[in-house]
Amino acid sequence: MFSPIRSRVRTAAFALSAVAALALGTTATTGAAASPASAPASGPAPAKQGPTSVAYVEVNNNSMLNVGKYALADGGGNVFDIAVIFAANINYDTGTKAAYLYFNENVRRVLDNAATEIRPLQQKGIKVVLSVLGNHQGAGFANFPTLQAASAFAGQLSDTVAEYGLDGIDFDDEYAEYGRNGTGQPNDSSFVHLVTALRANMPDKIISLYNIGPAASRLSYGGVDLSSKFDYAWNPYYGSWQVPRIALPKSDLSPAAVEIGRTSQSTAADLARRTVSEGYGVYLTYNLDGADRSADVSAFTRQLYGSDAIRTP
């Protein structure tokens, strides 16, 4: 059992065009209720006009606390509204022939030290979500053989959210290697059963979709359309523009995706301008590290919020 150190360097397949920036409404992160009684409730997000900004953090290499170090120079609001712990895994037990939720030592460290790794972000008004990723073992979101199996895994996810005072779950259907260890191939019912059960378990938490893999193309089954059960969906190809094919309002979609430190500042700015001008409500970033990335971050905050970003060490 292992969790790979992940690199999401992708080739952009879409031409980018710079467009004039327009103002959006007030940022609002939907679907996230207060943390359980055992943990401090998330504080109110500072007032900020513009899209919701998301930061994935590779916790094998970097601290979640980096997300809380960036603020807008004009007004002082948080740059980032959602911090994603990347990543837990869906693993497969060949003895019981069942999928289970797995944390490598770095994810486990973050969760076990929630008081110092997660609560400080929540106290700033930043939602903290756990991403779940395949792990080369044949288990994935798209091949649960029965409703009962999907519901059991949904229970593991919602129990984790409750135990550690998280604000939700992010699905990333990569690296499952469907069929390995005698597992089944993707089927049409699996992801629908999984997300339906998870939403029933945690009606007021965030469920987001990293729009890739077999699960992302299987959002409807037996008269159930999953679209309304998600709070957000985003483009998985960094440095590009691609609208997720899911029936969510523009306010909950991020067609823009950038990798901080790898996507050029000019491209990040172009994607931010397009986000605003075309009326989308989310801007996705990946791989925020511990370096001073205020120049990279400012490239998109100027377009999204009309302000540079400043970093507090």
Side-chain angles (χ1 to χ4, degrees), residues 240-263:
S240 80
W241 178 272
Q242 180 175 301
V243 180
R245 294 183 178 179
I246 181 172
L248 284 172
K250 283 186 171 184
S251 59
D252 300 332
L253 296 175
S254 181
V258 302
E259 181 171 357
I260 294 174
R262 293 187 68 103
T263 302

Side-chain angles (χ1 to χ4, degrees), residues 25-31 45 48 50-52 81-82 232 251-252 281-282:
T26 302
T27 296
T29 53
T30 63
K48 183 176 74 175
T52 296
D81 304 286
I82 300 175
Y232 303 106
S251 59
D252 300 332
V282 189

Side-chain angles (χ1 to χ4, degrees), residues 36 38-39 85 88-89 100-103 107-108 110-112 114 118-119 122 128-132 152-169 198 201-202 205:
S38 60
I85 302 167
N89 296 103
Y100 66 96
L101 185 61
Y102 171 73
F103 311 130
V107 174
R108 170 62 66 190
V110 171
L111 296 177
D112 285 347
I118 295 171
R119 299 297 169 258
Q122 293 174 326
V128 180
V129 171
L130 178 66
S131 184
V132 185
F153 190 72
Q156 294 182 47
L157 295 175
S158 56
D159 286 350
T160 296
V161 168
E163 180 177 358
Y164 296 103
L166 301 172
D167 294 297
I169 293 292
L198 183 62
N201 291 351
M202 44 181 234
K205 296 290 186 175

Side-chain angles (χ1 to χ4, degrees), residues 235-313:
N235 170 19
Y237 299 102
Y238 302 113
S240 80
W241 178 272
Q242 180 175 301
V243 180
R245 294 183 178 179
I246 181 172
L248 284 172
K250 283 186 171 184
S251 59
D252 300 332
L253 296 175
S254 181
V258 302
E259 181 171 357
I260 294 174
R262 293 187 68 103
T263 302
S264 71
Q265 293 177 18
S266 61
T267 295
D270 287 345
L271 289 169
R273 278 193 290 269
R274 189 169 180 182
T275 297
V276 173
S277 69
E278 296 191 22
Y280 288 95
V282 189
Y283 190 85
L284 177 68
T285 74
Y286 168 69
N287 207 24
L288 182 66
D289 60 19
D292 185 350
R293 298 293 182 183
S294 53
D296 295 302
V297 174
S298 292
F300 61 80
T301 61
R302 290 186 199 108
Q303 311 305 321
L304 297 177
Y305 313 118
S307 173
D308 283 340
I310 54 175
R311 178 181 181 272
T312 301

Side-chain angles (χ1 to χ4, degrees), residues 12-288:
F14 302 92
L16 303 174
S17 59
V19 289
L22 300 174
L24 281 183
T26 302
T27 296
T29 53
T30 63
S35 301
S38 60
S42 299
K48 183 176 74 175
Q49 298 294 318
T52 296
S53 289
V54 181
Y56 276 79
V57 177
E58 290 260 16
V59 296
N60 285 339
N61 307 305
N62 300 299
S63 169
M64 290 300 297
L65 297 179
N66 293 329
V67 181
K69 293 182 178 181
Y70 291 87
L72 298 177
D74 183 7
N78 298 321
V79 166
F80 298 106
D81 304 286
I82 300 175
V84 184
I85 302 167
F86 188 80
N89 296 103
I90 177 171
N91 276 14
Y92 187 69
D93 187 320
T94 57
T96 63
K97 299 188 183 303
Y100 66 96
L101 185 61
Y102 171 73
F103 311 130
N104 75 4
E105 62 182 3
N106 296 300
V107 174
R108 170 62 66 190
R109 171 183 47 78
V110 171
L111 296 177
D112 285 347
N113 293 283
T116 55
E117 297 280 337
I118 295 171
R119 299 297 169 258
L121 298 178
Q122 293 174 326
Q123 288 162 357
K124 288 175 177 281
I126 299 169
K127 305 298 184 183
V128 180
V129 171
L130 178 66
S131 184
V132 185
L133 176 73
N135 203 10
H136 309 277
Q137 298 186 7
F141 314 128
N143 69 343
F144 286 104
T146 65
L147 169 62
Q148 292 74 20
S151 297
F153 190 72
Q156 294 182 47
L157 295 175
S158 56
D159 286 350
T160 296
V161 168
E163 180 177 358
Y164 296 103
L166 301 172
D167 294 297
I169 293 292
D170 175 66
F171 287 107
D172 182 349
D173 189 17
E174 299 180 273
Y175 307 112
E177 295 189 24
Y178 289 106
R180 190 168 185 175
N181 289 319
T183 57
Q185 292 299 313
N187 64 67
D188 291 339
S189 64
S190 176
F191 197 45
V192 173
H193 289 327
L194 175 61
V195 177
T196 299
L198 183 62
R199 178 51 79 201
N201 291 351
M202 44 181 234
D204 300 316
K205 296 290 186 175
I206 292 171
I207 302 178
S208 58
L209 177 65
Y210 189 79
N211 190 48
I212 199 169
S217 63
R218 290 170 168 83
L219 301 179
S220 180
Y221 176 78
V224 177
D225 185 335
L226 283 185
S227 300
S228 64
K229 300 185 188 301
F230 286 99
D231 294 285
Y232 303 106
W234 27 71
N235 170 19
Y237 299 102
Y238 302 113
S240 80
W241 178 272
Q242 180 175 301
V243 180
R245 294 183 178 179
I246 181 172
L248 284 172
K250 283 186 171 184
S251 59
D252 300 332
L253 296 175
S254 181
V258 302
E259 181 171 357
I260 294 174
R262 293 187 68 103
T263 302
S264 71
Q265 293 177 18
S266 61
T267 295
D270 287 345
L271 289 169
R273 278 193 290 269
R274 189 169 180 182
T275 297
V276 173
S277 69
E278 296 191 22
Y280 288 95
V282 189
Y283 190 85
L284 177 68
T285 74
Y286 168 69
N287 207 24
L288 182 66

